[in-house]
Amino acid sequence: MQDKIDQYTAEIKAFTSAKADELEAFRIKYLGTKGLIKDLFEQFKTVGTEEKRTFGKVLNEFKQFAESKYNELKDSIDSSTATEDTEFDMTLPGEGVSVGSRHPLSLIRNEIIDIFKRLGFVVAEGPEIEDDWHNFSALNFPEEHPARDMQDTFFIKKNSGTDDIALRTHTSSVQVRMMENGKPPFRAIMPGRVYRNEAISARAHCFFHQVEGLYVDENVSFSDLKQTLYSFVQELYGEGTKVRFRPSYFPFTEPSAEMDVSCTICKGAGCNMCKHSGWVEILGCGMVDPNVLENCGIDSKKYTGFAFGMGIERITNLKYVIRDLRLFSENDVRFLEQFKTEII
Ligand code: PHE
């Protein structure tokens, strides 16, 4: 018995551990209900009276020694884990929250709106489902006129022509609503989604986004149109961007033009984006046709106006060099994430 006590004493003295599970194993081995000390006490019951006297004291001392060793190690483990729980560095950076990003089309739309707001334009909106009058007839598209084929329309109800219901093909319909419901002067832009029945490819989509603009007042001239759009382009693409106007045709403007800017990618030197011409077309524009003013109840002898319309996708492509329109509506996070820095 004395031999065992000596052996266990040596083992216990040598035992050191900073781990809670090892200490628990130690407790079970020596102090547990089926542990070695318990065994010694069982044996103790069988020894003679003489030995009981000697070993009683030794055994009790040994048990106390084992218990104090256990308590000592337990205290040191408890205090070290307590340190981990309660002491942390308040100056460490946080985990960080993943911030979403704005859609590139929203970024460019907001930029366009900001520029025109500084030029004194307000923002107007209207419905995406339109009647024939607001999308076509009021805008001087005669019934059965081939000009209606310029814009492949998604019809919701195809009736006799003038009472058709369709998804709007342009936000010019908002210009009609504005002129019908108010009095000149008007100075507004109309951002919004429009729909055209086109096969989806890298270069065409069945819906896209526009910002159109309208300015109607007394004595508005083509030079006002040119100056407004020139200022817009300088703000959007930077000072020194060149513009040129080419004659064109729209039923609702006369005269009509398309506006090109010097290629924003190669600065006019020639690249794939501008098909090596140095110029890229960004919008259609013109003086509001007097018929349109009259259709909306505005005296065309007193008032004149200009209008313009651009596709936000096109402007965005030129800014970020995105060559496939489908990317804008696929919601691929790998694409959308690339515009993160812009929201700050
Ligand atoms: N509404 C035309 C379009 O969608 C754009 C435009 C607007 C052209 C105003 C001239 C004047 O293509």
Side-chain angles (χ1 to χ4, degrees):
M1 211 166 171
Q2 184 62 53
D3 286 352
K4 278 194 181 154
I5 292 175
D6 290 346
Q7 183 201 329
Y8 297 161
T9 306
E11 280 173 16
I12 291 171
K13 267 192 185 148
F15 180 79
T16 52
S17 173
K19 290 195 189 128
D21 53 346
E22 286 173 9
L23 182 64
E24 179 59 7
F26 170 88
R27 188 189 65 78
I28 293 166
K29 183 175 175 188
Y30 295 102
L31 299 162
T33 43
K34 290 176 187 161
L36 296 171
I37 293 175
K38 187 87 180 163
D39 280 354
L40 288 176
F41 275 93
E42 289 300 321
Q43 281 177 39
F44 177 71
K45 284 181 192 159
T46 61
V47 298
T49 337
E50 199 53 31
E51 284 175 297
K52 270 205 172 92
R53 218 170 275 143
T54 0
F55 279 119
K57 198 168 173 252
V58 173
L59 204 51
N60 274 322
E61 277 172 6
F62 170 63
K63 191 184 173 199
Q64 276 165 20
F65 163 71
E67 280 170 354
S68 66
K69 174 81 180 189
Y70 170 76
N71 288 333
E72 188 186 299
L73 287 172
K74 190 169 188 308
D75 283 351
S76 79
I77 288 176
D78 285 351
S79 66
S80 70
T81 40
T83 312
E84 269 171 36
D85 281 351
T86 53
E87 272 183 28
F88 53 89
D89 185 350
M90 300 285 279
T91 64
L92 284 175
E95 293 256 305
V97 179
S98 163
V99 180
S101 51
R102 290 236 189 281
H103 194 284
L105 293 178
S106 302
L107 291 172
I108 297 295
R109 182 201 55 210
N110 293 347
E111 203 175 326
I112 295 171
I113 291 174
D114 280 352
I115 296 172
F116 279 107
K117 273 190 178 165
R118 288 199 291 275
L119 293 171
F121 286 73
V122 297
V123 174
E125 284 179 348
E128 294 186 12
I129 297 175
E130 267 298 5
D131 50 29
D132 174 87
W133 172 256
H134 293 97
N135 198 77
F136 292 120
S137 293
L139 288 161
N140 207 32
F141 285 80
E143 223 181 309
E144 306 303 332
H145 191 280
R148 291 191 184 220
D149 297 337
M150 282 168 72
Q151 303 181 339
D152 301 297
T153 310
F154 281 119
F155 287 100
I156 290 173
K157 263 197 203 139
K158 190 89 185 83
N159 298 327
S160 63
T162 48
D163 35 291
D164 291 342
I165 304 287
L167 292 175
R168 67 180 177 194
T169 60
H170 51 188
T171 58
S172 304
S173 52
V174 185
Q175 304 184 11
V176 175
R177 288 181 178 276
M178 191 175 196
M179 288 191 283
E180 280 178 338
N181 296 325
K183 284 197 168 70
F186 300 107
R187 202 190 291 170
I189 51 169
M190 299 83 191
R193 182 174 283 185
V194 301
Y195 301 83
R196 296 193 191 169
N197 192 355
E198 305 224 24
I200 296 170
S201 71
R203 304 179 63 86
H205 211 291
C206 58
F207 65 78
F208 61 97
H209 301 82
Q210 283 191 322
V211 177
E212 294 217 357
L214 175 73
Y215 184 12
V216 177
D217 202 349
E218 291 177 39
N219 301 319
V220 175
S221 68
F222 201 89
S223 60
D224 295 321
L225 161 69
K226 285 174 83 174
Q227 185 55 45
T228 304
L229 294 179
Y230 178 78
S231 308
F232 163 66
V233 165
Q234 302 309 301
E235 293 244 11
L236 186 71
Y237 291 124
E239 293 286 321
T241 308
K242 291 193 201 117
V243 299
R244 74 176 183 190
F245 291 83
R246 285 178 289 100
S248 185
Y249 171 76
F250 299 102
F252 34 88
T253 48
E254 182 60 35
S256 303
E258 277 167 330
M259 190 180 86
D260 297 341
V261 295
S262 49
C263 180
T264 53
I265 309 298
C266 64
K267 307 280 173 240
C271 69
N272 278 345
M273 190 61 102
C274 61
K275 299 199 194 82
H276 299 278
S277 69
W279 295 95
V280 283
E281 185 210 315
I282 64 160
L283 56 82
C285 57
M287 299 306 292
V288 181
D289 192 300
N291 287 341
V292 175
L293 295 174
E294 294 294 337
N295 285 341
C296 300
I298 290 166
D299 183 355
S300 62
K301 305 231 164 31
K302 190 171 176 199
Y303 294 103
T304 50
F306 68 74
F308 56 87
M310 66 190 97
I312 304 178
E313 277 79 352
R314 175 113 188 99
I315 310 276
T316 309
N317 289 353
L318 288 172
K319 179 132 186 184
Y320 295 121
V321 199
I322 298 162
R323 289 179 194 278
D324 192 332
L325 276 178
R326 290 168 293 194
L327 286 166
F328 291 128
S329 47
E330 280 169 347
N331 280 339
D332 187 330
V333 179
R334 291 169 302 177
F335 171 72
L336 297 173
E337 265 181 352
Q338 296 177 42
F339 303 91
K340 234 170 200 168
T341 51
E342 305 276 340
I343 64 164
I344 297 157

